[in-house]
Amino acid sequence: MSTHQSFMQRHQFLIRRLHSLTGILPIGVFLIAHLVTNSSLAWGWFALKGRGGAEGLSVSEGGVQYFAHEVTYLNTQVPHLFLIEVTLWAAIAFHSILGFYYAMGGQGNLPHYKHQDNFRYTLQRLSGYFGIAFIFYHVATLRWGWSFLVPNGTEWSHHWSASTLAAALQGSSEGWTAMGVVVSLFYFLGVSLLVFHFANGLWTAAITWGLTVSEHAQKRWGYVCAAVGVGLMLASWGALAGAMTVDYDEAQAIEASIQGSHEVPAEQLDVHTQNDGHTLQTAEADPEG
Amino acid sequence: MSEHRVIVVGGGLAGLAASIRIAEAGVPVDLFSMVPVKRSHSVCAQGGINACNEVARQQGYSEYQHFDETLIGGDFLNDQHPVLEMANWAPKIIDLLDRMGVPFNRSSEGYRDLRLFGGSLFKRTHFSGATTGQQLLYALDEQNRRFVSEGKVTEYNFWEFLYPITEGEGENKRAVGIVAQDMRTMQIRSFRADAVVMATGGCGLVFGKSTNSVICTGGAASRCFQAGAWYGNAEMIQVHPTAIPGADKCRLMSESARGEGGRVWVPAKKGDTRKPNDIPENERYYILEERYPKYGNLVPRDIATREIFDVCVNDGMGINGQNQVYLDLTHKDPDYLTEKLGGILDIYEKFAGEDPRFTPMKIFPAVHYSMGGLWTTYTPGDYSPSEPMPEHKPGNPIPVGNEQGHGLTIGAHNNAMTNIQGLYAFGEVNFAYHGATRLGANALLSCIFDGLCNGVSVVNYIRDENHAGVSEVDQSVYDNAVKQEQDKHDALLATTSNNNGNKENNPYQIAFELGEIMNNQSTVVKTAEGLQKCLDKIDELSERYKNVQLGDGAMWTNQSLSFTRTVGDMLILAEAIAKAGLLREESRGSHYRTDFPERDDEKFWKASVAKFNPNTGKSDIEFVPVKAGLVKLRPRTYGKTAPEKAETKTPEPANA
Amino acid sequence: MGAAQASIIGAEERKANRAVAVEGRSVIFKIKRCDGPGKPWRWESFKVPTEPGSNVISSLRHIAANPVTVDGKETTPVVWDSGCLEEVCGACTMVINGRVRQSCSCLIDEYAPREGDEIVLEPMSKFPVIRDLWVDRTRMFNALERVKAWVPIDGTYNLGAGPQEDHDHQQMRYALSECMTCGCCLEACPQFIKKEHEDQWESSFIGPQAISQARLFNEHGTGKRLKDERMDTLTGPGGIQDCGNAQNCVKVCPKGIPLTESIAAIGRSATIHSIKKFFTGK
């Protein structure tokens, strides 16, 4: 027995199991919540209609209304939001860094062993790499306000959630730009791969933890994971499609009305008003806008 | 005590059983093998392992009957005492293997399942799918690995045994170590030991294509033979009736296929070209069932082989005129077959491309096992009837119980020892157990029995106070032995031709021609003329071998050199096999001489003992009486019916 | 893997090839060769006539007896490992047309049915090469030692029968026990990494072979006495956690051993073992 084992080596098993666990809790759970919320851009109108609140709204406007409402609620009413966010970011960082390190240790051989499972093994790693880049961009631009990475420098705000998201994806607040297409494509790939990563990870986790032992059990669980994956994939595409079809000005109007109807503490409103002003100015200052 | 060491050469069932037994007694073991021991030829054994069991016992079977069956199977050429001891140990050996974790097939209630095998009408064969040998070998390998991990056994895998080191002359000659070569680095060195156990298996490659692994050259036995060890019953070579002919070897189709109901047949009409499944039942000639109504397809191997050979070669009734007959399992339930025989059926499908569950297999006999081997002795046990017993009938009172020590004196120094002190021969390379034919599923038993029972003898021998330890043997004895082998090695290397040489002197060509002549003249059917032709050819090949040219002069992992060296040893062994066959002017078991078709107990109820003559480079053969006295000679018929030619049974040709 | 990749073909195609194989043809063997550890690699091609039932072994034997390349260059015989030639010993494993398998059961008719078709032979890439197609698989046996792949019996003297076992359980154990330590699963496993030296073996992924063997002995009545020790090894460095679930192992296993089920079963044992260990402190 070699005595010179590093901390990582000695606790490899535990760390790997934590890696597996964090993928599901909190990351996977958050992913589901996030995609459900965001996809309301696509299905919000139907929900409103069910309650009789969709009158006079187009499907897109209904989506914006529902989504903006949800986002405002999450950002203002959920307690300890900051703590939750930091925990989530820590979990993602842990999962990403270890995942990257582990994935680098494998030697893919898909060209020689073209099996469906091996394809997923390979894609799991590629989607991990891509996902890390995507999540970083996504969080940095939309959460940390690194607006210099966004075409036209649009800064996202939870008060103007649908409109600023649409501007970030479309490339400007005035409609589509070439860079907007690139960003949207990047988003499409990013969310699709991450959804795959989660669904496939759910499948392998059941083997890792020993829940599905027999081949039949693995197959059956595979169908469940595939269903989860398809559901989340539809949600993510719905959210993207919703955001990509949002009209900036219409959304702004709806969002403004929601802010008006909400009892939001005055100083917070101020901050965001300033923010909004900044966003608009940037958009206007853009000669191409 | 700790300065004593034992060398075991060969890591198959016999070698591993010996290694485990000896290490368990606290004696360090050095285990040499040309392959990682888990790849030894024992993996190829398929059918099972025989032992009396409770079910059979309650139907009148007994260890004693197992003993009696083995003797009649071997046509009374077996040494009787070790066979009795072996049969008595058999059920205990099964229990031990069971404890080691061998996954023996189970009945629905969870007891060990049993199957029929050739030479017996009782179910007395324990099995683990159709890869019993593999499963037993793995179990012993696992136990051995445990000793390796505890430092009690040292494995030398990929080391080739080159020569035994001996000191003294005549009766005082004793083994004090071996010379061996690392097959990767090509390093040659000596190893000291107080005793050397040879467990090196058979010599199938002497016959070219056989069912044996590529390592079963008989080279190690031949080297001991050249060092002065006697070789017994060399001519007794078993040809297995059912093998799949192939380009590189003949793959075994286990006797268990017959044990589980397989039927051997050919189309009753010569030249019938229909597909087997299109030939109706009444137009098939079930060779063994018609000729041996009592045992049917379960006759011993030599008989099945000769009948198949007869039908194909003499009557020309093989499938499509070729040397092939059908082995048919298609009447059995496919799921049943998969469970009981899956391993071998898959092998057939892989190599022949047809699923034997639905299409009859095409098979033909192939060289399989050497009953002959290094001559060994023993000290009989306490059973000594006033006169030899007649045939034992099932259910009759048994003349001797199943306790140990009746057949052999357990732990006697000389059990399974060759004529060289301290040089033992275990397993297939021990000539003692199987006489002129081995019964199916007795080989695994004899290997493990040798290791377990006679391993104790090895330990007792080296602990004998009268026996000077090898640490006192002069180093020069070892140095000289190494030098002799190094010189031989270097001389071979010096012949490297880079293949510009004469094709005549190509070692692969010499081996090929040796295999061809041995297979044609010294297997199923032998004649004086054919064997003489064989000896002449061996002479010619030996002359050519003197000018053999190596194709590879590498000083690293030179397989060509190893093979070429072995070809020389194979030629020497082949000469003994053919000469003993020529001198045994009778037919007995596997040895069938058309010019002497009857068994001649008067002259030849004797073991042939070959001694290497260093002056001529050839063998001198003597015939010495078989060590018997327990069971009386009787004819070996297996209830054969009067010879009926197939033609007389041929139905009217179908209107097709 | 610089080889010009001859196509990797499936079972159906092999069957079809067998049906159309041309008699008396010659095929080309392109072989990746190396004279010893640390020596450079090279490719050599040989033309080999076929006969009925030809396989890679009979072809390599032909080359050994006639070591001349297609360019007419004299060379040394190709070195390779082999044993039983019946696919039960595991020795002759190599990479054929980019995919690992036993060479004895590789029929030329299935791989190269037409005149001049090429078959590419390479040594296994996950083990140190000894020479040419022969590699050193000592690591696999070492792994068996590490997981204590044996039943700890009380010696070889007669103590009666072993634990009784029901029929289905025996069938399950038998399937696992057919493992012939050939290394196909390790060669195809993207997580199993070649390590030249013994001191690196313990910290690198142990692979499906040893994991499945650990399960075999955990399932035996007496063998399970060492279960905790086996699980300590398999939850240590290079243990079960390194499996990436590519599931190539089960697809290349020539014996059809349910390796992925073994991995999941050991995963379950590892979960229970580590929780138990956490709370009992053992």
Side-chain angles (χ1 to χ4, degrees):
Chain A
M1 276 279 168
S2 154
T3 49
H4 305 293
Q5 287 174 349
S6 67
F7 177 85
M8 290 285 282
Q9 276 183 327
R10 269 181 289 128
H11 300 286
Q12 211 186 52
F13 178 77
L14 179 68
I15 296 168
R16 282 301 288 256
R17 284 291 167 98
L18 283 176
H19 178 253
S20 171
L21 188 64
T22 51
I24 297 167
L25 202 75
I27 302 172
V29 172
F30 167 76
L31 179 74
I32 294 171
H34 187 40
L35 290 178
V36 168
T37 305
N38 283 28
S39 60
S40 65
L41 277 171
W43 52 257
W45 181 83
F46 299 96
L48 290 176
K49 189 170 178 239
R51 296 180 206 154
E55 250 167 81
L57 295 173
S58 69
V59 172
S60 172
E61 288 165 342
V64 171
Q65 168 117 4
Y66 193 98
F67 172 69
H69 188 272
E70 286 289 298
V71 172
T72 309
Y73 171 80
L74 285 172
N75 280 273
T76 56
Q77 306 292 308
V78 175
H80 312 300
L81 183 64
F82 181 69
L83 199 63
I84 292 171
E85 275 193 313
V86 170
T87 309
L88 187 62
W89 290 337
I92 293 174
F94 174 80
H95 192 85
S96 304
I97 293 166
L98 276 169
F100 183 79
Y101 170 74
Y102 292 137
M104 293 300 285
Q107 290 174 349
N109 53 15
L110 190 57
H112 295 271
Y113 302 97
K114 289 175 185 144
H115 306 293
Q116 193 250 116
D117 303 279
N118 199 25
F119 173 76
R120 283 188 287 106
Y121 166 89
T122 310
L123 192 57
Q124 185 75 355
R125 275 136 192 85
L126 295 179
S127 62
Y129 297 146
F130 195 92
I132 293 171
F134 170 72
I135 291 174
F136 180 78
Y137 176 82
H138 177 62
V139 174
T141 53
L142 299 190
R143 200 74 204 172
W144 303 338
W146 295 18
S147 51
F148 58 92
L149 288 174
V150 186
N152 272 331
T154 308
E155 190 166 327
W156 185 79
S157 147
H158 70 252
H159 286 295
W160 308 102
S161 52
S163 56
T164 51
L165 177 61
L169 286 175
Q170 295 170 7
S172 83
S173 54
E174 313 278 295
W176 285 92
T177 68
M179 280 313 287
V181 174
V182 173
V183 172
S184 293
L185 211 57
F186 184 59
Y187 261 78
F188 173 72
L189 278 174
V191 294
S192 303
L193 286 172
L194 282 174
V195 165
F196 164 80
H197 191 91
F198 172 65
N200 189 50
L202 210 55
W203 182 74
T204 59
I207 298 172
T208 303
W209 292 83
L211 298 174
T212 50
V213 171
S214 76
E215 204 185 311
H216 288 297
Q218 291 179 14
K219 203 166 225 169
R220 278 194 294 267
W221 180 242
Y223 293 136
V224 173
C225 294
V228 169
V230 168
L232 289 179
M233 202 65 90
L234 290 176
S236 67
W237 292 348
L240 268 181
M244 284 152 71
T245 51
V246 162
D247 181 90
Y248 183 85
D249 296 330
E250 275 176 23
Q252 285 259 317
I254 295 166
E255 284 156 356
S257 75
I258 291 175
Q259 284 172 51
S261 70
H262 264 274
E263 290 173 48
V264 186
E267 69 270 26
Q268 244 189 47
L269 204 65
D270 280 351
V271 172
H272 286 289
T273 315
Q274 281 168 15
N275 240 341
D276 299 342
H278 170 73
T279 308
L280 290 169
Q281 273 164 22
T282 320
E284 278 160 16
D286 193 329
E288 297 213 21
Chain B
M1 196 166 84
S2 64
E3 72 266 29
H4 289 306
R5 290 191 86 80
V6 170
I7 283 176
V8 176
V9 183
L13 283 176
L16 287 173
S19 168
I20 292 164
R21 233 332 148 59
I22 294 167
E24 189 180 10
V27 178
V29 175
D30 293 317
L31 178 59
F32 289 79
S33 173
M34 290 177 72
V35 293
V37 293
K38 206 178 172 179
R39 307 201 198 286
S40 300
H41 178 62
S42 303
V43 290
C44 289
Q46 298 172 342
I49 175 166
N50 293 335
C52 180
N53 55 82
E54 282 316 305
V55 178
R57 198 187 300 283
Q58 288 166 39
Q59 295 168 4
Y61 196 69
S62 60
E63 285 89 347
Y64 187 84
Q65 178 135 27
H66 182 188
F67 158 65
D68 191 70
E69 281 172 358
T70 305
L71 293 188
I72 186 77
D75 224 346
F76 291 95
L77 203 58
N78 332 49
D79 280 350
Q80 297 193 351
H81 305 85
V83 176
L84 173 63
E85 193 67 30
M86 174 177 83
N88 279 349
W89 277 52
K92 292 154 198 152
I93 287 175
I94 301 292
D95 277 347
L96 172 63
L97 294 166
D98 191 14
R99 281 168 54 218
M100 287 179 179
V102 172
F104 284 116
N105 273 47
R106 299 283 165 165
S107 65
S108 56
E109 198 182 334
Y111 292 98
R112 290 183 299 238
D113 205 355
L114 298 158
R115 68 165 44 131
L116 281 170
F117 236 75
S120 184
L121 298 172
F122 290 89
K123 281 194 176 183
R124 50 123 163 82
T125 302
H126 302 72
F127 63 102
S128 191
T131 60
T132 312
Q134 178 196 43
Q135 295 303 315
L136 302 194
L137 182 77
Y138 289 1
L140 294 184
D141 175 58
E142 287 144 13
Q143 294 303 321
N144 190 62
R145 182 164 294 109
R146 190 178 166 199
F147 284 118
V148 170
S149 75
E150 291 168 9
K152 293 172 180 165
V153 173
T154 310
E155 275 186 15
Y156 291 86
N157 290 333
F158 296 124
W159 279 74
E160 183 178 358
F161 163 84
L162 296 186
Y163 218 69
I165 302 176
T166 57
E167 62 142 29
E169 283 307 321
E171 287 192 3
N172 293 323
K173 194 169 188 171
R174 65 166 177 152
V176 295
I178 67 165
V179 185
Q181 180 170 32
D182 186 327
M183 294 162 69
R184 294 153 298 183
T185 64
M186 305 307 278
Q187 179 201 11
I188 295 175
R189 58 163 287 204
S190 63
F191 294 84
R192 280 177 189 257
D194 296 80
V196 175
V197 177
M198 299 302 293
T200 52
C203 56
L205 260 69
V206 168
F207 297 84
K209 286 182 204 170
S210 71
T211 64
N212 286 188
S213 294
V214 299
I215 44 177
C216 304
T217 59
S222 174
R223 287 161 196 170
C224 292
F225 176 56
Q226 292 166 63
W230 304 338
Y231 199 92
N233 292 336
E235 70 278 21
M236 293 303 172
I237 297 292
Q238 179 165 83
V239 181
H240 196 288
T242 57
I244 317 162
D248 51 343
K249 78 172 290 191
C250 297
R251 290 174 180 84
L252 180 62
M253 180 46 57
S254 169
E255 187 168 314
S256 54
R258 288 187 285 140
E260 295 292 354
R263 306 176 73 186
V264 176
W265 62 275
V266 290
K269 193 175 69 169
K270 209 165 164 173
D272 190 336
T273 55
R274 283 176 294 177
K275 290 201 166 126
N277 289 334
D278 296 340
I279 300 176
E281 192 69 17
N282 63 350
E283 292 176 39
R284 299 174 176 189
Y285 176 46
Y286 289 98
I287 305 164
L288 299 174
E289 291 165 49
E290 300 209 10
R291 295 186 183 186
Y292 298 87
K294 185 175 173 194
Y295 280 79
N297 291 293
L298 292 174
V299 290
R301 291 174 178 174
D302 58 314
I303 294 176
T305 295
R306 268 198 300 280
E307 299 299 351
I308 293 171
F309 193 85
D310 181 53
V311 163
C312 290
V313 177
N314 299 337
D315 302 343
M317 287 182 61
I319 306 164
N320 295 331
Q322 292 178 315
N323 283 341
Q324 286 178 335
V325 300
Y326 289 120
L327 173 57
D328 195 345
L329 281 162
T330 56
H331 53 287
K332 307 290 278 190
D333 171 44
D335 291 335
Y336 174 87
L337 292 176
T338 301
E339 179 176 333
K340 297 290 175 76
L341 300 169
I344 52 169
L345 300 186
D346 289 348
I347 291 283
Y348 183 85
E349 196 175 353
K350 260 178 194 162
F351 287 98
E354 288 176 328
D355 187 343
R357 295 165 190 88
F358 305 103
T359 311
M361 296 179 274
K362 291 179 198 161
I363 53 96
F364 196 69
V367 169
H368 180 56
Y369 188 87
S370 171
M371 278 73 69
L374 293 172
W375 179 91
T376 56
T377 181
Y378 56 83
T379 305
D382 59 19
Y383 172 58
S384 171
S386 50
E387 60 179 283
M389 305 299 287
E391 176 176 7
H392 183 73
K393 299 279 189 217
N396 282 359
I398 47 171
V400 59
N402 61 6
E403 301 79 14
Q404 70 173 32
H406 294 316
L408 294 177
T409 300
I410 306 299
H413 295 181
N414 68 343
N415 288 349
M417 192 192 273
T418 66
N419 57 308
I420 297 175
Q421 295 272 315
L423 184 70
Y424 292 82
F426 288 5
E428 186 174 348
V429 79
N430 180 355
F431 92 121
Y433 297 100
H434 303 298
T437 283
R438 175 174 66 77
L439 288 187
N442 260 352
L444 299 180
L445 179 62
S446 63
C447 286
I448 298 175
F449 169 73
D450 251 340
L452 293 180
C453 178
N454 299 327
V456 178
S457 297
V458 177
V459 173
N460 288 348
Y461 164 76
I462 67 169
R463 285 184 174 163
D464 186 350
E465 288 165 15
N466 301 322
H467 166 84
V470 290
S471 51
E472 287 155 40
V473 176
D474 197 83
Q475 181 60 31
S476 64
V477 174
Y478 296 92
D479 295 342
N480 289 342
V482 170
K483 186 172 183 306
Q484 180 196 320
E485 288 303 315
Q486 189 70 52
D487 289 348
K488 207 189 281 178
H489 173 268
D490 296 347
L492 267 180
L493 260 189
T495 68
T496 306
S497 68
N498 288 327
N499 303 295
N500 295 321
N502 191 339
K503 171 121 178 146
E504 291 276 285
N505 302 332
N506 183 315
Y508 297 93
Q509 183 62 29
I510 294 175
F512 174 77
E513 289 178 34
L514 172 68
E516 205 165 45
I517 190 83
M518 289 297 285
N519 210 358
N520 291 342
Q521 304 299 350
S522 185
T523 51
V524 184
V525 175
K526 307 179 193 179
T527 62
E529 189 194 3
L531 289 165
Q532 191 53 55
K533 217 154 85 184
C534 193
L535 284 167
D536 294 344
K537 181 76 183 176
I538 293 170
D539 272 348
E540 178 212 316
L541 293 172
S542 302
E543 278 307 309
R544 276 162 57 188
Y545 182 75
K546 286 179 185 161
N547 300 315
V548 73
Q549 284 176 319
L550 215 57
D552 188 356
M555 303 292 284
W556 175 267
T557 320
N558 191 333
Q559 283 180 331
S560 206
L561 186 144
S562 168
F563 178 77
T564 306
R565 181 171 47 204
T566 307
V567 170
D569 300 316
M570 283 159 66
L571 284 165
I572 288 169
L573 199 56
E575 195 266 348
I577 293 169
K579 190 183 279 174
L582 180 65
L583 295 178
R584 186 181 283 281
E585 295 180 326
E586 63 156 353
S587 290
R588 183 185 296 271
S590 299
H591 177 75
Y592 181 68
R593 289 277 299 263
T594 48
D595 42 358
F596 298 95
E598 298 302 320
R599 193 171 87 183
D600 183 351
D601 293 325
E602 190 84 14
K603 275 165 80 182
F604 289 107
W605 190 26
K606 287 174 179 170
S608 73
V609 176
K611 300 178 183 178
F612 183 71
N613 184 335
N615 299 321
T616 59
K618 291 180 180 172
S619 55
D620 296 330
I621 311 265
E622 289 171 29
F623 284 87
V624 301
V626 169
K627 285 171 266 182
L630 306 185
V631 174
K632 206 155 72 182
L633 274 174
R634 60 179 191 267
R636 179 179 187 260
T637 61
Y638 287 98
K640 181 170 185 173
T641 56
E644 286 176 289
K645 279 300 175 190
E647 283 79 355
T648 63
K649 302 285 284 182
T650 308
E652 290 305 307
N655 300 325
Chain C
M1 320 228 172
Q5 289 305 328
S7 58
I8 298 163
I9 53 180
E12 284 308 308
E13 199 177 338
R14 291 208 299 274
K15 208 168 192 177
N17 280 346
R18 196 204 279 260
V20 300
V22 179
E23 246 179 78
R25 70 195 182 283
S26 290
V27 299
I28 305 294
F29 278 83
K30 183 175 172 182
I31 302 176
K32 190 178 183 185
R33 304 195 57 180
C34 170
D35 287 337
K39 301 277 172 61
W41 292 104
R42 67 178 190 279
W43 289 95
E44 277 177 2
S45 292
F46 302 88
K47 191 170 185 178
V48 179
T50 60
E51 54 180 307
S54 279
N55 57 3
V56 169
I57 298 289
S58 67
S59 306
L60 283 170
R61 280 189 187 161
H62 178 88
I63 294 171
N66 314 278
V68 181
T69 69
V70 278
D71 313 322
K73 200 183 92 193
E74 308 274 352
T75 183
T76 51
V78 176
V79 172
W80 82 99
D81 196 5
S82 65
C84 72
L85 311 187
E86 293 180 5
E87 214 184 59
V88 284
C89 83
C92 67
T93 313
M94 58 182 74
V95 176
I96 301 177
N97 285 3
R99 200 178 161 92
V100 69
R101 61 168 298 164
Q102 274 71 52
S103 52
C104 66
S105 57
C106 181
L107 302 177
I108 306 306
D109 282 358
E110 295 185 349
Y111 273 68
R114 287 165 298 269
E115 174 72 29
D117 279 355
E118 187 175 80
I119 295 178
V120 181
L121 306 182
E122 295 167 82
M124 284 197 275
S125 65
K126 299 291 178 73
F127 301 96
V129 71
I130 294 173
R131 190 179 166 189
D132 292 342
L133 301 171
W134 188 10
V135 296
D136 183 357
R137 281 171 280 181
T138 307
R139 182 174 169 190
M140 295 187 75
F141 297 103
N142 178 278
L144 292 179
E145 206 175 314
R146 286 180 55 207
V147 298
K148 299 188 191 295
W150 55 74
V151 175
I153 57 167
D154 293 346
T156 59
Y157 289 85
N158 182 33
L159 295 168
Q164 207 168 345
E165 181 177 29
D166 73 54
H167 170 270
D168 292 352
H169 196 259
Q170 180 273 339
Q171 289 286 302
M172 184 273 281
R173 279 204 314 122
Y174 176 73
L176 302 181
S177 188
E178 280 191 286
C179 173
M180 55 188 182
T181 326
C182 68
C184 283
C185 58
L186 304 179
E187 176 69 20
C189 173
Q191 294 290 102
F192 184 85
I193 308 297
K194 178 180 181 177
K195 297 288 173 193
E196 295 272 353
H197 301 295
E198 193 169 347
D199 51 0
Q200 302 167 307
W201 294 346
E202 267 187 28
S203 55
S204 187
F205 183 37
I206 196 165
Q209 163 244 357
I211 291 172
S212 187
Q213 288 295 297
R215 178 187 181 208
L216 169 63
F217 291 95
N218 285 351
E219 287 287 346
H220 184 264
T222 318
K224 66 177 170 229
R225 240 180 54 207
L226 298 176
K227 187 171 178 178
D228 281 345
E229 292 172 54
R230 291 190 195 107
M231 294 318 301
D232 279 343
T233 301
L234 290 179
T235 55
I240 180 82
Q241 67 275 6
D242 277 347
C243 171
N245 295 299
Q247 303 212 333
N248 287 348
C249 52
V250 77
K251 275 136 200 150
V252 297
C253 177
K255 297 286 121 184
I257 299 169
L259 293 166
T260 46
E261 296 193 2
S262 290
I263 289 170
I266 289 291
R268 176 180 289 182
S269 300
T271 305
I272 297 165
H273 174 77
S274 49
I275 292 172
K276 208 174 82 186
K277 204 170 159 183
F278 182 84
F279 286 109
T280 62
K282 278 189 220 153

